[in-house]
C-alpha cells in the first residue's frame, strides 16, 4: 500500500482505508451516487486507469444463416405449376391448333396456313374486323370523353360529390350480360316501352327506332351500352389523376391571370397524361375483344351488322365445330391487340410529363 499526499492511501483492495466503497458509518445518500455511477451507466473502468472507461458491447451473433437444404425458389414451384397448366399450356396448344383442321374431338391433321387464307377470303370475318374497329373507336372516344367530364364534375367542391362518384361507378361492377339484358329492354322496339316510350312522352315520336333490329343502328346501340357501363370506370382513373395535380400550379396560373380553360389546357391536361394512357389502353383492349354485350344483345345480328372478331371465333368453334379455324381467328385477334397496344403505349408514354 502506497502513501499519497494528504494522508490518502491507494490500492486495489477493498479494505477500510480504500475509497472504493463508503465506510460503515457514512450515510447512504447522495454521496453513494459516484460509487454507483460506473455500474449504472453501463461502463467499467480499466484496471489501473480509474478515469478511463469503455462501453459494454453485446456479443456479435453474426449473419442469420439459412438452411442450405431448402432453396428459396422451391416455394414458387406450386404457383408456377398451376400457371403452366391453366395458362401456358392452353395458350401454346391453341397456337398449334391454329395450323390444323381440328374439329374439337378426334384426330386432326396439319394444314399449314390454310386457316389464315380462309380468314382472308371470309367476307363475314372481314366485315367483323371492320365492325370491331368501328366499335372500338366509338367506345374509346366517347367513353373517355364522358369519363373526363364526369371526373371534372365530381372533383369540384360540391356536397354530393361522394354520392355521385358511387352512382357513376356502379354500372362498372355489374355483369356485362346483365347490362346487355337491361339494355335490351331499353331498346325495346315497342312504342310503349323503354327508350321509345320516353321519346314519345317528350314529343319526339319521329326518333323512335328499332334500335337492335336495324342493321344501321345495332352496332352503335351496342357501343352506347358499353359506354354507359364503363364511363364511370374511366372517371375514377381520371379522378385519381386530377387529385394528383399540385394545387400550387393552379394557384400560380391563377395569379398570372390564366382563366379556367387556360389552366385546364396548360396545367391539368398535360399532367393527366398518365391517367389518359391507362384509360386509352384499357378501353382499346376492351373494345377490340368485346364479346359479352354483343352476343347477349344482338348475337352479331341482324345479319352480320354487329359481328365482331370475338363473336366470329366463338361461333366457328361452338356452333360450326371448326376449332382449328377459330383458334386461327383468335391468334390473329391476339396479335392485333398486342400490336395496337404496344404502338399506342409507346406513343402515349412519350408525351407524359410529371409535376
Amino acid at each position: 500500500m502506497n502513501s499519497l499526499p494528504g494522508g490518502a492511501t491507494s490500492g486495489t483492495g477493498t479494505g477500510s482505508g480504500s475509497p472504493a466503497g463508503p465506510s460503515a458509518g457514512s450515510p447512504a445518500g447522495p454521496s453513494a451516487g459516484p460509487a454507483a455511477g460506473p455500474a449504472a451507466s453501463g461502463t467499467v473502468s480499466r484496471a489501473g486507469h480509474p478515469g478511463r472507461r469503455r462501453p459494454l458491447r453485446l456479443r456479435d451473433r453474426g449473419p442469420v444463416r439459412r438452411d442450405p437444404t431448402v432453396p428459396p425458389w422451391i416455394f414458387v414451384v406450386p404457383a408456377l405449376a398451376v400457371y403452366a397448366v391453366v395458362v401456358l399450356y392452353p395458350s401454346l396448344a391453341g397456337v398449334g391448333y391454329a395450323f390444323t383442321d381440328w374439329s374439337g374431338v378426334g384426330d386432326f391433321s396439319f394444314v399449314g396456313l390454310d386457316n389464315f387464307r380462309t380468314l382472308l377470303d371470309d367476307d363475314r370475318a372481314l366485315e367483323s374486323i371492320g365492325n370491331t374497329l368501328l366499335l372500338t373507336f366509338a367506345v374509346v372516344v366517347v367513353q373517355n370523353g364522358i369519363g373526363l367530364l364526369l371526373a371534372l364534375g365530381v372533383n369540384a367542391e360540391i356536397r354530393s360529390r361522394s354520392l355521385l362518384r358511387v352512382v357513376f361507378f356502379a354500372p362498372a361492377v355489374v355483369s356485362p350480360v346483365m347490362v346487355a339484358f337491361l339494355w335490351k329492354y331499353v331498346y325495346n322496339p315497342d312504342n310503349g316501352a323503354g327508350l321509345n316510350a320516353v321519346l314519345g312522352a317528350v314529343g319526339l315520336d319521329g326518333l323512335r327506332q328499332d334500335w337492335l333490329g336495324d342493321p344501321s343502328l345495332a352496332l352503335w346501340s351496342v357501343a352506347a351500352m358499353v359506354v354507359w357501363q364503363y364511363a364511370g370506370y374511366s372517371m375514377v382513373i381520371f379522378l385519381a389523376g386530377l387529385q394528383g395535380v399540385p394545387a400550387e400550379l393552379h394557384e400560380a396560373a391563377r395569379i398570372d391571370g390564366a382563366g379556367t380553360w387556360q389552366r385546364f389546357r396548360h396545367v391539368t391536361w398535360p399532367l393527366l397524361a398518365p391517367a389518359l394512357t391507362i384509360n386509352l389502353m384499357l378501353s382499346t383492349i376492351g373494345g377490340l375483344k368485346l364479346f359479352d354485350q354483343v352476343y347477349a344483345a344482338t348475337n352479331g345480328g341482324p345479319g352480320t351488322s354487329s359481328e365482331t372478331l370475338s363473336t366470329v371465333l366463338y361461333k366457328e368453334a361452338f356452333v360450326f365445330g371448326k376449332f382449328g379455324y377459330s383458334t386461327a381467328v383468335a391468334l390473329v385477334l391476339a396479335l392485333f391487340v398486342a400490336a395496337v397496344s404496344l404502338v399506342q403505349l409507346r406513343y402515349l408514354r412519350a408525351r407524359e410529363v410529371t409535376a
Side-chain angles (χ1 to χ4, degrees):
M1 183 177 297
N2 300 323
S3 175
L4 298 177
T9 60
S10 65
T12 59
T14 57
S16 60
S18 174
S23 62
S26 62
S31 61
S41 62
T43 60
V44 295
S45 300
R46 295 181 181 178
H49 301 280
R52 299 178 64 183
R53 299 168 184 172
R54 61 182 178 86
L56 290 175
R57 296 181 180 178
L58 297 176
R59 181 181 298 175
D60 188 5
R61 298 181 179 180
V64 179
R65 296 182 179 179
R66 297 178 178 176
D67 188 356
T69 62
V70 182
W73 55 264
I74 199 69
F75 300 101
V76 187
V77 172
L80 288 178
V82 173
Y83 181 78
V85 172
V86 176
V87 178
L88 292 182
Y89 174 73
S91 301
L92 296 177
V95 174
Y97 287 137
F99 300 92
T100 67
D101 59 354
W102 187 44
S103 62
V105 292
D107 298 331
F108 56 87
S109 59
F110 182 77
V111 296
L113 300 176
D114 289 349
N115 289 328
F116 299 95
R117 296 191 187 98
T118 303
L119 175 62
L120 295 178
D121 295 333
D122 189 351
D123 294 336
R124 187 167 65 95
L126 295 178
E127 183 181 0
S128 69
I129 295 176
N131 292 337
T132 302
L133 294 177
L134 287 175
L135 184 62
T136 302
F137 179 79
V139 168
V140 169
V141 174
V142 181
Q143 175 182 317
N144 288 287
I146 295 178
L148 179 59
L149 293 177
L150 294 177
L152 292 172
V154 298
N155 193 47
E157 295 296 330
I158 55 177
R159 287 188 175 182
S160 59
R161 61 181 181 275
S162 299
L163 176 62
L164 291 176
R165 293 174 186 177
V166 175
V167 171
F168 293 144
F169 181 73
V173 300
V174 181
S175 168
V177 177
M178 293 182 62
V179 171
F181 282 111
L182 171 65
W183 278 80
K184 284 185 73 173
Y185 174 77
V186 174
Y187 289 140
N188 194 318
D190 189 356
N191 291 334
L195 181 58
N196 285 337
V198 175
L199 293 175
V202 296
L204 299 175
D205 298 328
L207 297 180
R208 292 174 174 175
Q209 303 288 338
D210 186 1
W211 302 99
L212 297 177
D214 189 343
S216 62
L217 295 175
L219 188 67
W220 308 115
S221 299
V222 173
M225 179 194 314
V226 176
V227 168
W228 176 84
Q229 182 174 10
Y230 293 112
Y233 191 87
S234 299
M235 175 203 71
V236 172
I237 298 176
F238 278 127
L239 185 60
L242 288 173
Q243 293 179 347
V245 177
E248 295 81 2
L249 297 180
H250 283 286
E251 186 64 26
R254 187 180 295 107
I255 293 175
D256 290 340
T260 303
W261 168 249
Q262 291 177 326
R263 291 198 304 271
F264 172 78
R265 180 183 177 185
H266 298 289
V267 178
T268 304
W269 180 246
L271 296 179
L272 277 181
L276 181 64
T277 299
I278 296 174
N279 270 329
L280 290 180
M281 290 289 297
L282 292 177
S283 56
T284 300
I285 295 173
L288 290 174
K289 64 183 186 66
L290 193 64
F291 171 77
D292 298 5
Q293 294 90 334
V294 177
Y295 192 80
T298 66
N299 195 20
T304 58
S305 60
S306 62
E307 286 275 22
T308 63
L309 274 176
S310 297
T311 59
V312 167
L313 71 90
Y314 174 84
K315 291 179 180 179
E316 291 293 339
F318 298 102
V319 177
F320 303 112
K322 299 179 180 179
F323 278 83
Y325 177 62
S326 67
T327 53
V329 177
L331 181 59
V332 171
L333 176 60
L335 294 176
F336 183 69
V337 171
V340 171
S341 301
L342 289 176
V343 172
Q344 189 180 46
L345 179 62
R346 187 166 185 174
Y347 170 76
L348 293 173
R349 282 290 177 87
R351 62 177 298 274
E352 290 184 6
V353 296
T354 57

